[in-house]
Amino acid sequence: MNININESTLIQIQLAIVVVALLVILVRSYPRLSDGKVWLTRACNYALVGLGVFALLAYVNFQPFSPRQQYRDSFHYYIGSKYFPELGYTRLYACVARAEAESTDPSVRISAYSRLIGDIGIAEGQANVVTRLVPARRYIFDDAFCRSRFSALRWDNFKSDVAFFHSRMSDWNWTATQGDHGFNPPPAWTLMGGFISNMIPLSDPALMGVTLIDIALLFGIIACMVWAFGLSTAAFAVIIGTATIDSWDMIGGSMLRFDWLFMAIFSICTMKREHYVLAGAALGYAAMLRLFPAVFALGPFAGLLYAVYKRQHDLKATYANFFAGMVISSAVLVASATAVYGGDAYKGFFDNSKRHAAVIALNNVGLRQVLVYGFDEKSHQRTFKTLDDRIPWRTAIIEARKKVAPIYVAVVAVALLLFIPAALSCGPWQSVALSALFVPFMWTELASYYYLLLMIAATLFADNWKVAFPLLGVGVVSGIGRLYGMNMGDFHVLLSAVICIGALVIWWQINTRTLFWRQALSIFRIRKT
C-alpha cells in the first residue's frame, strides 16, 4: 500500500503527538491524579508507547519498509564512498563534470561545460565561503585532476553510476546537487560506506536495500532503549527524536545516516547496564563516524577529574574503563582507515572539515545562530530570490560572528557553570545524556537533522520525569514554527534559541539549588592535607 501524506499534514500529526504526549505526562505527574492509582500510571505509560509507535510511523511517512528515496543525499554518500580512493574530498563535482563531458548525450555535455560547481577545496582559495562556486570547465580539460586517477574499468563504472543518479533527478535538482558541500564523512565512516557501495552494484532495488539499513538501525535504537530503560522511556525518546525537529526526508532514504546515532544510543544503553568498556568503545565509534559525538564524553570527563580529586576509586575506575574503551575503538578505526586509504586520508578530512565548518547555512542550529540574528539589517535577512542575494548576507554573518565572539564565550561560561555541577551530581550514564545537550553551545554548528541527538537527552526521563517539559517544549515550538510556514532561516534561529534554553533548564532541573552551589564551589575548594 502506497501512503503519501503531504508535508503540512505530517507536521500537524507530529505537533498533535507532542501535545498529547505533554498532556499524558502532565496527568501522570500530577499528584492528586496519579498518587496511589496504579492503573492511571499504567494507562499513561501505554499511551506513551502508542504515541511513540505513531511518531515513528509518521516520521517515515507511514512507509517503514518502502521509504522515499533521497537521491541527492544518496549520490554524495554512495559515489563519495565508492570512489573515495580516486576522488578524496575535493574532486567529486569536478570529476562528475568531466565524466558528463564524455557523455554521448549532447545536452548532458553542454550542461557539464556550462555548470558552476561547489568549491570544496579545488580552487586553491579562488572561491571563498561567500560565493563557493567555480566553473566546472576549469577542470574538464585537466586529465591529471580526474581521468588519470581512475583505471579504465573504474572510470567506466564511475560514468555509469553518475548517469544513474542524473537520470533519477530533475535537471534543476542535479545542477543544485553539484553546487552542494561535497562528501564530508570521516575515513572511518568511509570504511563501511565504501565496503557497501563497492559490494552492491548500483540499481533502484540496491539503493532501497541500503536505505533499509537505516530503518534497521532505527529499530535497533528502539530495541536498545527498551532493553536499558524500559518501554515508556524508549517511547518518550522516540517522540522527542522523530516528532520535534525534522522529517525523514531531510536525511532518510540515503546511506548509513543513522549509524552514529545507533552507536551513541548503544553507548548510553550499555553504560546504563554498567558495561563501561563497551559503552566507551561504542561512543568512540560514534565519534569516529561524525566527530561531534565526542562532546557526549564531556560529562564523563568532568566526572573522572572529580573522582580523582575526591579519591572516589570506584567511580574513577568506572570512568577509566569507559575512556579506555573509547580510546581503543577510536585508535582501531583510525588505524584501519589509514591502512586502507593511506596516511593522507585524515589530513584531507581535517582540511575539508575546516572548510565545511566555515560554511554558513540557513538550517544550522546553535548558539551562534541566535547571537548573530538581527545583528544588523544584512545579517537579519533570511529570504533570497537569487544566489547573488546571499553574498551580502554571508559577508554580514561572517563579520557578525567575529563581533559576537566575546558574548558567545560569556554565554558558554554560564552554560558550563550549570552543566558541570549537573554532570557531577548524577551517575555515569546520566552524564552522557546531559553532555548531548552541550552540542548547541559548540563553536561549530550542526545542521538541524543531527538534533536527533535529543533522543539521548530524552533518556533522562527514566530518572527525572521533569525533563519531559523542556524537551516537549522544543517540539511544540518547532511544530508551530513549521506549521505556520516560517522561512528556513528564522525557524532555525528560533529552534536554536529554544534548544539552548531547554538545555539550561534541564541542567538546572538535575540539581537542587543547594546541591548546585555545593558542587560548583567544591571544584574550587582547596583540598585539606
Side-chain angles (χ1 to χ4, degrees), residues 148-181:
S148 64
R149 299 178 63 87
F150 291 77
S151 67
L153 177 60
R154 291 274 287 179
W155 182 248
D156 288 341
N157 290 339
F158 178 69
K159 291 195 294 182
S160 176
D161 290 346
V162 167
F164 172 89
F165 279 106
H166 191 166
S167 68
R168 267 99 182 138
M169 289 189 249
S170 67
D171 288 339
W172 180 90
N173 195 14
W174 179 251
T175 300
T177 298
Q178 304 310 305
D180 213 323
H181 302 305

Side-chain angles (χ1 to χ4, degrees), residues 412-481:
V412 170
V414 172
L416 283 169
L417 285 175
L418 287 169
F419 164 71
I420 292 176
L424 297 179
S425 67
C426 60
W429 73 263
Q430 293 97 328
S431 69
V432 174
L434 291 169
S435 300
L437 293 169
F438 203 80
V439 169
F441 295 90
M442 297 190 311
W443 181 256
T444 301
E445 299 155 347
L446 297 180
S448 58
Y449 45 74
Y450 283 117
Y451 278 82
L452 283 164
L453 61 84
L454 291 179
M455 293 179 75
I456 299 167
T459 59
L460 290 166
F461 181 74
D463 210 38
N464 187 335
W465 56 266
K466 292 181 181 179
V467 304
F469 300 116
L471 288 172
L472 288 171
V474 172
V476 171
V477 174
S478 169
I480 293 173

Side-chain angles (χ1 to χ4, degrees), residues 27-62:
V27 170
R28 174 181 164 176
S29 60
Y30 191 62
R32 292 186 179 179
L33 291 176
S34 59
D35 279 1
K37 298 178 180 178
V38 177
W39 66 268
L40 183 60
T41 301
R42 189 174 298 168
C44 290
N45 288 340
Y46 286 148
L48 270 183
V49 172
L51 289 169
V53 172
F54 197 48
L56 181 63
L57 289 173
Y59 183 66
V60 294
N61 202 14
F62 299 95

Side-chain angles (χ1 to χ4, degrees), residues 371-389:
L371 296 180
V372 302
Y373 182 73
F375 192 83
D376 56 33
E377 184 177 348
K378 290 181 179 178
S379 66
H380 180 75
Q381 184 180 2
R382 288 296 188 276
T383 55
F384 312 98
K385 294 181 180 179
T386 68
L387 186 63
D388 289 340
D389 289 345

Side-chain angles (χ1 to χ4, degrees), residues 478-500:
S478 169
I480 293 173
R482 290 190 294 159
L483 187 62
Y484 284 92
M486 291 182 67
N487 69 64
M488 183 184 292
D490 288 341
F491 170 73
H492 285 93
V493 171
L494 175 64
L495 186 62
S496 299
V498 173
I499 291 176
C500 288

Side-chain angles (χ1 to χ4, degrees), residues 219-275:
F219 282 116
I221 287 167
I222 296 168
C224 282
M225 289 192 294
V226 171
W227 167 65
F229 298 100
L231 273 172
S232 58
T233 298
F236 176 72
V238 168
I239 293 168
I240 295 302
T242 62
T244 59
I245 305 295
D246 274 324
S247 67
W248 166 265
D249 288 343
M250 290 302 297
I251 56 171
S254 184
M255 180 177 176
L256 295 183
R257 295 293 259 147
F258 293 84
D259 52 355
W260 69 270
L261 182 63
F262 173 81
M263 296 309 298
I265 292 286
F266 184 69
S267 174
I268 197 170
C269 289
T270 49
M271 206 159 189
K272 174 71 161 60
R273 288 288 187 164
E274 300 183 354
H275 304 296

